[in-house]
Amino acid sequence: MSTGTERIECRTAEVGDGLIIRRALPNRRRRTVGAWCFFDHAGPVAVSAGGLHVGPHPHIGLQTFTWMIEGAVTHRDSLGNEQLITPGQVNIMTAGAGIAHSEDSADGPGAAPRLHAAQLWIALPDAERHRAPAFRNHPQLPRLELGGFGVRVLAGSVAGRASPVEVYSPLMAADLSAGAAAAAELPLTAAFEHAALVLEGAAEVAGEALLPGTLLYLAPGRAQLAITCQAAARLLVIGGVPFAEEVLLWWNFVARNAEEMAAATDDWNAGRRFGAVHGSPSAPLRAPALSGLNLRA
Ligand code: MN
């Protein structure tokens, strides 16, 4: 393996009502890549198998970032937003001090037959983590061509093209897709650490052959990244300044200590703080008993 890279195997996990996903972050070797602290890859999978159904549940201290590749999912939240996210769009939800939301694959006649998406969390830095909650759908994201790849700038900047997605620490995310063999040098910010995950097909990143299910971690110090594929492929590259703060992840919360976790858990289960989500066909989730707070992977 080349210097400064680590191959990290994803584990499988179940989200919502039986959807099996690949979880790239957190893992035992890497808790975060920049402020990215959670990285799930869902599908591609037939929605007839159930799709995504996650009933109302709370978040604190993070942003949820959803990148939709195939399918359609309805987001509903306690601010009163109801938003269908479709392919090529990003949903960014800033939980801050507290928000609740639900996510349900759209069904019925004309519904998309497959689901393919990535959902990530971004840890909010201490100065921003108690801010007011917010939600936004971004249907338009910058796109550039690079060595046969279409590059969609999902967060931060690539080659001077900036995503409108609002974030609170220096970070980036880009989706690269090619319909045939391609070879690109993706410009990077050298102060960032990065990670690459193949979403479809096969690719070679920094000389490492990758398939879906293996995250390639790249240490800071790279100004560009060699990415090639021999046939149609898609991958996601994320990065950011290494996150200096110790964060605690438990259930759907990002916090700094057990007291904050206990308060958020009690508030959700008692119907306080987060507000109500209306219209979801899925039942609300109950926060489990607080335990294993040192279990962050
Ligand atoms: Mn959520």
Side-chain angles (χ1 to χ4, degrees):
M1 214 174 341
S2 62
T3 312
T5 63
E6 291 172 27
R7 298 177 67 96
I8 295 170
E9 296 310 306
C10 299
R11 59 206 160 97
T12 57
E14 183 178 338
V15 298
D17 197 10
L19 180 67
I20 303 299
I21 55 83
R22 298 183 182 92
R23 184 155 295 157
L25 289 175
N27 62 73
R28 284 185 180 80
R29 301 189 43 198
R30 292 278 159 195
R31 308 287 188 205
T32 51
V33 175
W36 301 99
C37 62
F38 189 90
F39 183 176
D40 275 0
H41 176 207
V45 65
V47 171
S48 59
L52 178 69
H53 287 284
V54 186
H57 62 279
H59 288 287
I60 60 169
L62 57 87
Q63 295 178 287
T64 63
F65 174 100
T66 305
W67 167 233
M68 188 63 56
I69 301 159
E70 288 184 81
V73 170
T74 302
H75 158 98
R76 296 177 177 89
D77 68 42
S78 51
L79 302 176
N81 296 297
E82 178 168 333
Q83 176 71 51
L84 186 71
I85 180 173
T86 57
Q89 301 185 350
V90 164
N91 274 358
I92 185 85
M93 184 180 79
T94 303
I99 195 169
H101 74 145
S102 61
E103 294 160 296
D104 292 284
S105 284
D107 51 16
R114 299 215 302 174
L115 174 70
H116 191 196
Q119 190 175 72
L120 299 92
W121 295 355
I122 303 167
L124 288 168
D126 197 49
E128 304 286 353
R129 69 193 183 96
H130 302 294
R131 63 185 299 113
F135 170 81
R136 196 154 164 205
N137 170 263
H138 288 279
Q140 300 285 350
L141 298 155
R143 190 176 188 280
L144 52 120
E145 297 289 335
L146 203 65
F149 286 99
V151 180
R152 192 83 66 166
V153 185
L154 306 183
S157 296
V158 174
R161 304 289 305 279
S163 162
V165 170
E166 42 294 286
V167 295
Y168 298 94
S169 59
L171 56 79
M172 62 79 68
D175 176 279
L176 284 79
S177 67
E185 288 283 342
L186 182 70
L188 302 180
T189 300
F192 286 8
E193 58 185 350
H194 293 85
L197 185 71
V198 171
L199 303 179
E200 275 186 299
E204 199 173 293
V205 178
E208 291 287 323
L210 292 181
L211 295 170
T214 301
L215 184 77
L216 186 70
Y217 171 81
L218 303 141
R222 290 173 186 270
Q224 68 278 317
L225 183 59
I227 302 175
T228 63
C229 62
Q230 304 304 318
R234 177 186 292 275
L235 64 154
L236 197 60
V237 177
I238 61 172
V241 170
F243 202 68
E245 300 170 30
E246 272 290 311
V247 298
L248 217 48
L249 265 72
W250 181 80
W251 198 47
N252 291 302
F253 303 137
V254 172
R256 297 296 185 275
N257 58 59
E259 290 69 32
E260 291 176 348
M261 292 297 189
T265 297
D266 290 348
D267 284 348
W268 172 250
N269 285 341
R272 295 186 298 260
R273 190 196 311 196
F274 297 97
V277 180
H278 299 291
S280 173
S282 305
L285 309 188
R286 188 169 173 83
L290 195 62
S291 65
L293 272 182
N294 55 347
L295 230 181
R296 283 144 60 203

